[in-house]
């Protein structure tokens, strides 16, 4: 299937560009490279990350804040991160600040506590996002505003909030929501309405769906395309990043990689042909810094491989995933959670662990907190002793609304029930419902093994932050009416005999450094990771392809960094000639051993 090489066209680029797709497909690299092309053509560009676990800082080699920061070496390019925690603090102060000196301190503290939950974090981040689109003054100095978005599920939520909050404000009659007074939101109404209009305007907004030549990534791009068209975002194009054509026809690994990509593209041919579609070839280097970003969209199909002198390097000691499972199963029950950057293979690792535990005779439940989950496709088969589920935000919200109405609405009059129903229609209700479902899944580990495939880092951190915020609120109110699994959630997450956290990464700069930052965040919450899993490694592949040899060599420093500086235990998984789908393939992956390949 022939597709043209992706080159941003200054003449046709809309003012707003959104790069979205499955985790790990290269959204950040492509959004940054696009921004560089536009500033090189004389345009002023603002690059914005909406990812709670943004790695724009590392890719641009610049420390960013929530204010536009000039990028050295790219005149005309400014960048910023929408930091959800900082956004929430600013949002709280905007609502509470005018009340200081007018209300008693006790009332102000109560307001601050009311605005300390994950709902406020979400709406505050959305508030900043919508302001850049719907407020004509906020980005007036820029010709283009490019959004490097979080992985798909979080992006869908962010963009759908524009319509959800606009509709909620339109129907709300009480002047309150789960955030308290709606004054802070009502003032933004014009901006929210303008955001909805701009997202639907094909002359103003382009959605760039980014994928890899992989079945799961292309299927998720197709699903995202449909869902965003449904909310009015119709001007779309597709960029398939990392396409590969080997220069070494006798190389088994290289041939397998090429054929796997071609098969995935062929299977998605109808979707690909439905919109303007482009390719970007696989590069031999990590795309970091301005010089690396310029390589990404250069005309050189292979790029330049720069190898460090590693004549004395030997692979560090790493285990198989099966070794980790042997240790974990000794407890007989508990929770195993896979965490990390999007696209590193958390779902695959989670499914492989679940299959191995079930085949060893344990009762296992495999679930996911990822809004864009594809765990069922990865498992692709029945395993005795293994059950499967996913946290469905819509179903959880409906169940939570019914529970609250039954518990609280029974004692209310018609007017009271109408107000309660209105409050529960707020988009924030979904966050509470999903959090409670997460607590329920963790609680299932008391009598079996529960394997949780979590959402990409930023979304997972918001979920864990909600655990602490919710715990503080329960302690303050001394309530005992909450479900037991909610009351015990934080205690269970902090218990190393109950919860085993596996940080999954690729042997590349950004995934390793994001996992290291996640480990620091977990430790601050008094949650200690059990082990790291390095996935899709080319180490000892024996490839003769120049590009793959260069990529294998570039892994060495990151393998050493994980084993020697970051992890207490490290499991290693090789790149697979065939996607590990189905119980047998997952079991083989789990038993892969580095030492057996050294010969």
């Amino acid at each position: 299937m022939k597709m043209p090489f992706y080159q941003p066209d200054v003449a046709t680029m809309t003012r707003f560009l959104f790069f979205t797709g499955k985790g790990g497909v290269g959204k950040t690299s492509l959004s940054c490279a696009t921004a560089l092309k536009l500033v090189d053509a004389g345009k002023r560009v603002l690059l914005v990350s909406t990812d709670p676990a943004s790695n724009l800082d590392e890719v641009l080699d610049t420390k960013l804040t929530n204010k536009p920061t000039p990028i050295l070496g790219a005149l005309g390019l400014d960048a910023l991160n929408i930091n959800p925690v900082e956004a929430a603090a600013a949002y709280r102060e905007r609502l509470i600040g005018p009340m200081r000196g007018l209300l008693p301190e006790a009332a102000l503290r109560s307001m601050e506590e009311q605005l300390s939950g994950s709902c406020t974090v979400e709406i505050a981040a959305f508030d900043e996002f919508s302001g850049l689109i719907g407020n004509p003054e906020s980005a007036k100095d820029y010709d283009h505003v490019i959004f490097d978005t979080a992985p798909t599920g979080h992006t869908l939520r962010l963009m759908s909030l524009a319509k959800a909050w606009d509709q909620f404000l339109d129907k709300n009659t009480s002047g309150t929501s789960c955030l308290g007074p709606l004054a802070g939101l009502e003032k933004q109404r014009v901006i929210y309405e303008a955001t909805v209009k701009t997202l639907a305007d094909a002359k103003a907004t382009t959605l760039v769906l980014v994928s890899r030549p992989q079945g799961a990534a292309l299927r998720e791009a197709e699903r995202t395309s449909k869902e965003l068209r449904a909310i009015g975002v119709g001007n779309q194009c597709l960029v398939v990043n990392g396409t590969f054509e080997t220069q070494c026809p006798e190389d088994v690994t290289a041939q397998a990689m090429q054929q796997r990509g071609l098969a995935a593209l062929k299977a998605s041919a109808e979707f690909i042909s439905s919109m303007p579609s482009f390719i970007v070839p696989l590069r031999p280097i990590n795309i970091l810094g301005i010089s690396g970003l310029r390589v990404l969209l250069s005309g050189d199909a292979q790029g330049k491989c720069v190898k460090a002198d590693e004549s004395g390097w030997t692979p560090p000691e790493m285990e198989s995933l099966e070794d980790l499972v042997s240790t974990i199963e000794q407890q007989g029950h508990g929770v195993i959670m896979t965490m990390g950057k999007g696209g590193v293979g958390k779902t695959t690792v989670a499914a492989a662990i679940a299959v191995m535990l079930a085949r060893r005779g344990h009762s296992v439940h495999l679930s996911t907190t990822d809004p864009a989950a594809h765990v069922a496709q990865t498992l692709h088969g029945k395993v005795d002793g293994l059950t499967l589920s996913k946290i469905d935000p819509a179903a959880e919200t409906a169940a939570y609304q019914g529970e609250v109405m039954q518990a609280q609405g029974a004692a209310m009059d018609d007017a009271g029930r109408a107000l309660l129903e209105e409050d529960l229609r707020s988009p924030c209700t979904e966050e509470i419902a999903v959090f409670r479902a997460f607590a329920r899944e963790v609680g299932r580990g008391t009598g079996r093994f529960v394997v949780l495939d979590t959402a990409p880092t930023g979304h997972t951190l918001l979920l864990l932050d909600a655990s602490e915020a919710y715990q503080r609120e329960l302690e303050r109110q001394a309530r005992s009416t909450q479900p037991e699994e909610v009351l015990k959630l934080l205690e269970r997450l902090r218990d190393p005999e109950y919860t085993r956290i596996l940080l999954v990464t690729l042997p590349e700069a950004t995934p390793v450094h994001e996992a290291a930052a996640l480990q620091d965040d977990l430790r601050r919450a008094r949650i200690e990771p059990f082990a790291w899993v390095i996935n899709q490694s080319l180490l000892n592949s024996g490839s003769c392809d120049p590009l793959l040899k260069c990529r294998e060599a570039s892994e060495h420093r990151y393998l050493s960094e994980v084993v020697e500086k970051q992890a207490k235990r490290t499991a290693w998984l090789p790149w697979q000639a065939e996607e590990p789908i189905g119980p047998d393939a997952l079991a083989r992956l789990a038993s892969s051993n580095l030492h057996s390949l050294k010969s």
Side-chain angles (χ1 to χ4, degrees):
M1 177 177 297
K2 291 292 184 182
M3 288 182 279
F5 179 71
Y6 172 67
Q7 283 290 328
D9 186 347
V10 176
T12 59
M13 289 283 105
T14 56
R15 182 160 189 254
F16 297 99
L17 295 122
F18 288 84
F19 286 76
T20 190
K22 187 177 183 296
V25 294
K27 297 182 297 294
T28 299
S29 299
L30 281 168
S31 61
C32 290
T34 298
L36 282 177
K37 285 284 186 179
L38 292 173
V39 298
D40 286 347
K43 301 297 184 180
R44 288 273 299 162
V45 178
L46 178 64
L47 182 57
V48 182
S49 175
T50 67
D51 192 341
S54 171
N55 64 319
L56 257 189
D57 298 59
E58 182 171 33
V59 174
L60 292 172
D61 194 25
T62 303
K63 181 64 178 174
L64 302 178
T65 67
N66 62 348
K67 304 296 181 185
T69 301
I71 304 302
L72 190 65
L75 186 64
L77 176 60
D78 293 347
L80 65 86
N81 283 325
I82 294 180
N83 183 301
V85 176
E86 292 177 3
Y91 182 80
R92 281 193 296 270
E93 184 57 30
R94 193 163 75 241
L95 293 184
I96 297 172
M99 301 295 108
R100 298 189 192 282
L102 300 177
L103 295 178
E105 281 300 314
L108 294 174
R109 282 196 300 272
S110 177
M111 289 177 68
E112 286 175 346
E113 286 166 353
Q114 186 182 18
L115 294 168
S116 66
S118 60
C119 293
T120 303
V121 172
E122 181 185 61
I123 189 60
F126 165 71
D127 209 41
E128 290 202 8
F129 160 78
S130 59
L132 289 167
I133 303 170
N135 184 351
E137 293 297 310
S138 62
K140 64 180 181 180
D141 296 329
Y142 300 97
D143 300 300
H144 300 278
V145 182
I146 298 178
F147 291 89
D148 168 35
T149 73
T152 310
H154 197 270
T155 300
L156 287 170
R157 172 76 173 150
L158 192 68
M159 297 180 84
S160 64
L161 276 173
K163 183 166 286 187
W165 274 112
D166 188 45
Q167 291 174 346
F168 178 70
L169 289 170
D170 188 51
K171 296 175 182 177
N172 182 275
T173 58
S174 65
T176 63
S177 77
C178 60
L179 295 179
L182 274 174
L185 296 178
E186 185 62 45
K187 291 175 183 176
Q188 300 296 99
R189 175 166 196 145
V190 173
I191 292 175
Y192 293 173
E193 290 175 342
T195 300
V196 172
K197 184 177 179 181
T198 301
L199 289 175
D201 183 355
K203 294 181 179 179
T205 299
T206 302
L207 180 77
V208 183
L209 294 156
V210 184
S211 180
R212 291 274 183 182
Q214 298 166 352
L218 284 162
R219 286 192 297 272
E220 187 159 317
E222 183 172 8
R223 181 181 65 83
T224 303
S225 172
K226 291 176 181 177
E227 292 194 24
L228 288 175
R229 285 186 192 280
I231 63 171
V233 186
N235 185 24
Q236 304 178 3
C237 68
L238 173 70
V239 178
V240 182
N241 185 31
T243 57
F244 174 68
E245 185 174 345
T246 182
Q247 298 181 30
C248 199
E250 69 275 18
D251 186 334
V252 175
T253 299
Q255 281 293 325
M257 186 176 290
Q258 178 176 312
Q259 292 306 313
R260 199 163 109 178
L262 290 173
L265 293 174
K266 183 178 180 181
S268 297
E270 185 177 348
F271 165 59
I272 292 170
S273 63
S274 70
M275 66 182 69
S277 296
F278 310 90
I279 61 166
V280 174
L282 184 68
R283 300 303 188 182
I285 62 170
N286 282 312
I287 305 300
L288 296 174
I290 298 300
S291 59
L293 289 165
R294 293 194 190 282
V295 167
L296 184 62
L297 297 184
S298 71
D300 181 0
Q302 291 295 317
K304 293 182 179 179
C305 176
V306 180
K307 290 186 180 180
D309 180 12
E310 296 182 299
S311 53
W313 188 84
T314 56
E317 290 296 319
M318 296 178 284
E319 311 174 58
S320 68
L321 189 60
E322 187 174 23
D323 294 332
L324 295 185
V325 172
S326 295
T327 301
I328 290 170
E329 74 168 331
Q330 294 173 15
Q331 189 67 20
H333 68 94
V335 174
I336 303 106
M337 295 175 66
T338 57
M339 294 185 177
K341 180 177 167 59
V344 296
K346 296 183 298 294
T347 301
T348 299
V349 171
I353 292 171
V355 166
M356 187 157 283
L357 285 170
R359 286 186 167 181
R360 292 184 179 189
H362 299 282
S363 175
V364 183
H365 183 69
L366 175 61
S367 187
T368 181
T369 67
D370 191 343
H374 54 280
V375 67
Q377 293 99 314
T378 301
L379 187 60
H380 196 63
K382 189 171 187 270
V383 179
D384 290 342
L386 174 59
T387 57
L388 182 68
S389 72
K390 63 176 284 189
I391 294 176
D392 182 333
E396 296 296 343
T397 302
Y400 176 69
Q401 289 169 329
E403 178 186 328
V404 174
M405 286 303 301
Q406 184 176 6
Q408 299 181 23
M412 294 179 174
D413 58 19
D414 290 344
R417 281 193 297 275
L419 287 175
L420 181 58
E421 286 178 346
E422 185 175 89
D423 190 16
L424 289 171
R425 285 195 294 270
S426 158
C428 285
T429 302
E430 181 180 306
E431 290 297 302
I432 299 170
V434 169
F435 168 73
R436 284 162 58 99
F438 169 65
R440 182 191 65 226
E441 296 295 89
V442 171
R444 288 182 172 185
T446 55
R448 68 174 80 175
F449 282 109
V450 172
V451 184
L452 272 173
D453 164 36
T454 72
T457 308
H459 201 271
T460 299
L461 282 176
L462 290 179
L463 205 56
L464 294 175
D465 286 343
S467 303
E468 288 212 84
Y470 208 80
Q471 187 73 22
R472 288 194 301 269
E473 180 70 6
L474 290 175
E475 290 170 355
R476 184 182 72 85
Q477 296 184 4
R479 292 188 300 188
S480 58
T481 56
Q482 294 295 328
E484 181 189 22
E485 57 263 24
V486 171
L487 296 170
K488 291 189 174 181
L489 175 60
L490 207 53
E491 174 190 336
R492 285 168 171 161
L493 292 176
R494 288 171 172 165
D495 182 357
E497 298 301 318
Y498 186 89
T499 300
R500 306 292 178 92
I501 305 287
L502 301 182
L503 297 178
V504 184
T505 186
L506 303 178
E508 300 172 9
T510 298
V512 166
H513 297 155
E514 187 165 312
L518 172 58
Q519 180 166 259
D520 290 340
D521 286 328
L522 289 169
R523 285 172 173 168
R524 277 193 288 272
R526 289 183 284 147
I527 300 171
E528 183 63 32
F530 173 68
W532 285 50
V533 179
I534 298 175
N535 192 26
Q536 298 181 30
S537 172
L538 287 167
L539 185 63
N540 286 347
S541 67
S543 176
C544 67
D545 186 272
L547 188 148
L548 295 189
K549 287 171 69 175
C550 189
R551 289 186 68 87
E552 178 182 345
S554 71
E555 289 185 5
H556 295 177
R557 62 179 293 188
Y558 302 109
L559 294 171
S560 296
E561 180 178 337
V562 170
V563 175
E564 296 167 9
K565 297 181 180 179
Q566 299 292 351
K568 292 182 177 178
R569 298 181 67 165
T570 306
W572 173 90
L573 297 173
W575 184 86
Q576 299 287 293
E578 295 182 4
E579 287 192 66
I581 294 175
D584 291 340
L586 291 165
R588 285 194 300 272
L589 176 67
S591 62
S592 300
N593 188 295
L594 174 64
H595 303 292
S596 67
L597 299 179
K598 287 186 177 179
S599 58

